[in-house]
Amino acid sequence: MIYKVETIKDGTEKYFFIRNLETMSIEELPSKYLMHKIKCKRSPNTVKRTAFSICYYMKYMAEKEMELTEVYQLDYEKQTEHFVEFLYWLKAGNHTEQTAGEKKCPNEGTCNAYLKDVFRFYLFIETEYEQYGSLKTLSYNQIIAVNQVGVKKVLRNHSFKAYLKEEEHRGRTAKENQIITILQACTNRRDQLLLLMLAETGYRIGELLGVKYVKDIDYRNHMIRVCFREDNENEARAKNAEYRSAKISNDTFEFLMDYLAKYRKILQHQDYLFVNIMGENIGKPLRVDSVYDMLDRMEKKTGVKITPHMLRHYFANMRKQAGWELEMISQALGHKHLDTTIKYLDWLDDELIEASNEFYAQHTAIYGAERLLE
């Protein structure tokens, strides 16, 4: 089997498909699966990553001279071994084309992410071809095993537990003095407003660039709304097809009004809030790569590195310091899981000790430990 990743242009969007050069019904599923991801409103970057993940897996399968259906026939131990070998195959850099004898070896987290994409693909196959059952490595069914002396043992919850151990990674948080330095170094109101709103809303850069100043701003209550759209001209996109709102400060709102007044002649020709204010693309919606180019220029100018994601971390930590509940911070950031939000927060040992002391001061007798000593 031969697989390759193709880029297909449809207007301004790029879709990534895996196409099989042979004609087999089940082997057409990679393309069908990616179409399914697109219909589920997954972001282009997610579709792209999924396409590469499956492509790498198919290359691995080709080297082993295996078919997809053969994996289902393996027992639990063999299936686990199969996927563990895939992880180490990725870790060794075998998934990429080699140049000058050099291998690009991904980290453990990237390898695990590729495998999780492959598992999602297998789950999709199971919905299309029920006769194959389910992967034993992901099965939660009970399995009865008999040991050497004839004693039966029930094995449960056989989810895959052999992912590579990842180093704990916590993203950097922008500091207040760094934000002020960059704001002062900016040469126009647009860039300053962009940074202010990123810091005060906690929005992803793609979410903020999709904001339309006519439809998505509540001028009475100073609220900025994230609205999911698939057809943004600048390909900006709200992750997970989300809709949510954030309030900005009075000072930033006044800055917003000044920006709208200053650039009204440019803005009146379309409805995106952030646009190019000079050059051949003047008036067109601002794109993500242009924002990173601006931040790179600011870093060279000031020596301070700031990214949109660092501003999301800043938002989360400032709300934590202000006493926001974890669930509220998670909702504001648009996270699906609290574990993701926790990684954004800079918990300090003294904070944890203080919080623990306060808890035990109120609930010290909850377990009745003192009675155990009697």
Side-chain angles (χ1 to χ4, degrees):
M1 294 183 293
I2 303 176
Y3 287 82
K4 63 180 179 179
V5 176
E6 297 180 355
T7 302
I8 301 176
K9 294 185 178 179
D10 180 13
T12 59
E13 296 188 5
K14 294 181 180 179
Y15 299 124
F16 293 79
F17 296 93
I18 293 179
R19 297 203 182 276
N20 188 1
L21 300 184
E22 299 175 352
T23 304
M24 295 177 63
S25 59
I26 193 171
E27 305 304 336
E28 295 172 355
L29 278 171
S31 294
K32 187 175 181 180
Y33 176 56
L34 293 173
M35 285 299 300
H36 166 74
K37 301 284 280 189
I38 293 169
K39 290 178 181 178
C40 290
K41 302 186 186 303
R42 296 294 183 260
S43 71
N45 285 337
T46 298
V47 177
K48 175 182 177 181
R49 188 202 65 201
T50 302
F52 278 105
S53 298
I54 299 175
C55 183
Y56 298 149
Y57 181 66
M58 290 304 178
K59 180 179 178 182
Y60 165 76
M61 292 286 283
E63 290 183 8
K64 295 180 71 69
E65 298 184 350
M66 288 186 66
E67 301 288 341
L68 289 171
T69 53
E70 293 180 48
V71 178
Y72 285 100
Q73 300 171 12
L74 301 175
D75 61 26
Y76 175 79
E77 288 76 13
K78 290 295 184 181
Q79 276 189 9
T80 300
E81 181 180 339
H82 171 79
F83 291 116
V84 168
E85 288 179 357
F86 175 57
L87 285 172
Y88 283 98
W89 181 86
L90 290 167
K91 181 62 181 171
N94 295 316
H95 61 301
T96 57
E97 297 294 334
Q98 309 304 321
T99 56
E102 297 182 358
K103 288 188 176 183
K104 296 181 179 179
C105 301
N107 61 37
E108 289 79 2
T110 301
C111 294
N112 291 339
Y114 287 146
L115 178 56
K116 289 175 183 178
D117 282 333
V118 171
F119 281 151
R120 294 186 189 101
F121 173 51
Y122 269 107
L123 292 174
F124 176 77
I125 292 177
E126 291 160 16
T127 64
E128 297 291 321
Y129 292 81
E130 295 181 1
Q131 66 267 30
Y132 297 127
S134 58
L135 287 178
K136 300 177 182 67
T137 55
L138 301 181
S139 174
Y140 287 80
N141 296 328
Q142 295 183 359
I143 300 176
I144 299 178
V146 181
N147 64 16
Q148 295 178 345
V149 295
V151 177
K152 293 183 178 181
K153 183 178 180 181
V154 178
L155 305 177
R156 298 182 178 87
N157 195 14
H158 273 194
S159 59
F160 188 77
K161 298 178 180 178
Y163 290 109
L164 299 177
K165 185 176 180 180
E166 302 178 27
E167 292 185 8
E168 185 175 357
H169 172 73
R170 291 185 180 271
R172 294 174 55 195
T173 299
K175 305 301 181 183
E176 186 173 316
N177 64 327
Q178 294 177 320
I179 298 173
I180 294 173
T181 298
I182 297 296
L183 284 171
Q184 293 174 344
C186 289
T187 58
N188 60 74
R189 290 279 191 272
R190 183 207 61 192
D191 294 345
Q192 291 171 325
L193 177 65
L194 179 69
L195 293 172
L196 286 170
M197 292 183 69
L198 283 171
E200 290 196 359
T201 63
Y203 287 165
R204 302 174 179 91
I205 184 60
E207 294 171 334
L208 195 57
L209 293 184
V211 169
K212 297 187 176 184
Y213 66 88
V214 175
K215 301 178 180 179
D216 301 334
I217 300 179
D218 179 349
Y219 291 92
R220 174 177 295 181
N221 298 306
H222 303 179
M223 301 287 290
I224 312 298
R225 290 187 288 267
V226 166
C227 294
F228 175 78
R229 301 184 182 94
E230 295 183 89
D231 57 352
N232 284 329
E233 184 180 340
N234 57 356
E235 298 183 3
R237 195 178 179 96
K239 190 174 181 179
N240 302 323
E242 288 178 338
Y243 297 83
R244 67 186 195 282
S245 299
K247 184 178 178 65
I248 58 175
S249 66
N250 292 339
D251 288 346
T252 297
F253 180 76
E254 291 301 322
F255 203 95
L256 166 64
M257 298 306 292
D258 180 77
Y259 164 80
L260 292 174
K262 183 178 180 64
Y263 297 108
R264 64 184 182 278
K265 292 183 178 179
I266 299 175
L267 292 167
Q268 67 183 356
H269 299 295
Q270 49 74 47
D271 54 0
Y272 287 90
L273 177 60
F274 292 104
V275 299
N276 291 286
I277 56 177
M278 62 182 67
E280 61 181 13
N281 293 320
I282 187 170
K284 292 185 177 181
L286 194 64
R287 301 176 71 89
V288 171
D289 53 358
S290 297
V291 175
Y292 280 96
D293 288 343
M294 179 271 290
L295 291 172
D296 286 342
R297 293 194 300 272
M298 292 300 102
E299 182 181 359
K300 293 177 182 178
K301 185 176 181 179
T302 65
V304 175
K305 179 178 180 59
I306 277 185
T307 67
H309 204 65
M310 290 172 65
L311 292 171
R312 271 171 64 77
H313 281 256
Y314 168 81
F315 171 89
N317 281 283
M318 289 297 290
R319 271 49 183 184
K320 175 177 77 78
Q321 293 176 23
W324 282 31
E325 296 292 337
L326 179 62
E327 291 80 5
M328 187 178 295
I329 298 174
S330 183
Q331 182 178 355
L333 291 171
H335 287 159
K336 287 186 174 181
H337 306 288
L338 290 178
D339 288 348
T340 305
T341 307
I342 291 173
K343 294 178 181 179
Y344 276 59
L345 303 177
D346 298 329
W347 296 105
L348 302 176
D349 288 343
D350 55 351
E351 289 182 289
L352 294 173
I353 292 173
E354 182 180 353
S356 296
N357 287 339
E358 291 180 0
F359 176 83
Y360 291 128
Q362 299 177 38
H363 307 283
T364 185
I366 191 172
Y367 306 114
E370 74 285 354
R371 292 192 298 273
L372 299 176
L373 297 175
E374 296 176 356

